[in-house]
Amino acid sequence: MSLSSTPLELLVTHSAWANRQLFSALRSVDAFESQPGADLILRALDHIHVVRCVFQAHLQGVSHGFAAPQRAVIPSFQELDLEFELMDRWYVETTASLRPEELERPRDVRFTDGKVVTMTAAAMLLHVVVHTTHHRGNVDAVMFQTGMPRRRDGVPEFLVSRASATRPS
């Protein structure tokens, strides 16, 4: 990501980075899936993923096929980790590739409850980032309450990590 990136690209790239920070912290928990609060965390992560799939489908102009904002069977932590990594990559690449006129083109979005609203691609991307951030906060609260290790994933930490990664040694 360069300094010439758009604010939307910055937000989407930060969200992907913050998701990696979250999964890294959860991977550091011994026997995570048997820990108190793990079931709530997995449900929140699955919900985030389903919503991102719904909006991915709308951005691609295809049907999403979801009838609920969560799957009936929650995947394992490892499956969710991989799904997030792949979806994050897709959102980062897609956001970087969308032309301004494509970002502003309105399209109908059908939610899992059947409601339809008109949104631009830019609004959909912002919704995905805000929705993901909100529920990452829910996960953080469970991690705090149960004594799991937490992470710092704000924009300042993201920018510092990016600056450190690009500095010559």
Side-chain angles (χ1 to χ4, degrees):
M1 193 172 94
S2 70
L3 292 175
S4 63
S5 299
T6 67
L8 187 58
E9 288 175 90
L10 173 67
L11 287 170
V12 171
T13 305
H14 166 261
S15 184
W17 174 84
N19 289 337
R20 291 295 85 213
Q21 297 298 106
L22 173 61
F23 276 93
S24 177
L26 292 172
R27 279 192 302 274
S28 75
V29 175
D30 289 332
F32 164 72
E33 290 185 85
S34 65
Q35 296 296 317
D39 57 333
L40 290 172
I41 289 172
L42 292 174
R43 290 181 63 76
L45 293 173
D46 181 63
H47 171 66
I48 293 167
H49 182 69
V50 167
V51 169
R52 293 179 347 144
C53 287
V54 166
F55 282 91
Q56 177 189 43
H58 286 300
L59 288 162
Q60 293 173 326
V62 299
S63 174
H64 57 73
F66 287 96
Q70 187 136 44
R71 292 176 277 195
V73 176
I74 306 297
S76 71
F77 173 74
Q78 291 77 17
E79 291 170 306
L80 285 163
D81 189 3
L82 179 59
E83 289 174 341
F84 264 70
E85 186 173 2
L86 294 173
M87 187 66 75
D88 283 330
R89 190 173 308 132
W90 184 88
Y91 270 102
V92 167
E93 290 170 0
T94 298
T95 302
S97 72
L98 289 172
R99 295 180 319 277
E101 60 273 11
E102 190 61 22
L103 284 168
E104 295 308 317
R105 183 175 64 84
R107 47 192 106 187
D108 288 340
V109 173
R110 180 176 302 281
F111 292 92
T112 57
D113 64 3
K115 292 180 183 154
V116 177
V117 66
T118 302
M119 297 175 78
T120 64
M124 285 188 251
L125 292 166
L126 284 172
H127 170 68
V128 166
V129 168
V130 170
H131 178 266
T132 301
T133 301
H134 169 79
H135 287 297
R136 255 196 335 265
N138 296 149
V139 169
D140 190 61
V142 174
M143 292 172 75
F144 176 74
Q145 290 175 338
T146 59
M148 291 182 198
R150 297 164 63 218
R151 76 274 171 250
R152 294 187 56 139
D153 65 3
V155 172
E157 290 84 8
F158 168 67
L159 295 174
V160 166
S161 78
R162 290 296 182 235
S164 299
T166 60
R167 267 194 206 121
S169 0

